[in-house]
Amino acid sequence: MREHQQYLIEREKIDYFIGRGYRINGITENLSGAFIEFNLKDVKTDEISNETLHIQTANGRKYFSALLLKQIQSVT
């Protein structure tokens, strides 16, 4: 049950960044989980905001992988 609650928190955080217009820019995986780097470019000032999110659950990794595939497909 604990892992499911952790997954829901991770999914909410991922959705928050995606909902604000951030795009996944990079992923680093290691034994402690995955680190997702999000970028948001301000169209007015050309400033780039960076955020990093640590994902520890397997379901969280599957979730952001599906979003990344959707992001890649929308570009091509």
Side-chain angles (χ1 to χ4, degrees):
M1 187 65 166
R2 163 94 171 104
E3 185 173 330
H4 182 70
Q5 291 172 338
Q6 179 67 27
Y7 162 66
L8 293 177
I9 293 168
E10 291 173 348
R11 188 177 78 179
E12 186 177 303
K13 289 178 182 178
I14 294 168
D15 288 343
Y16 172 79
F17 286 119
I18 297 296
R20 294 200 56 207
Y22 282 82
R23 296 182 54 83
I24 297 173
N25 189 53
I27 298 165
T28 303
E29 294 202 44
N30 58 32
L31 295 176
S32 67
F35 294 87
I36 308 171
E37 181 185 320
F38 292 95
N39 285 352
L40 176 66
K41 184 175 182 181
D42 187 328
V43 293
K44 294 179 183 177
T45 63
D46 282 341
E47 279 188 34
I48 296 177
S49 299
N50 296 311
E51 297 289 339
T52 302
L53 189 58
H54 185 198
I55 303 299
Q56 297 175 316
T57 65
N59 284 334
R61 288 176 171 188
K62 286 188 248 180
Y63 184 70
F64 81 72
S65 296
L67 292 176
L68 179 59
L69 288 172
K70 186 185 284 187
Q71 176 182 301
I72 291 169
Q73 289 172 347
S74 71
V75 173
T76 57

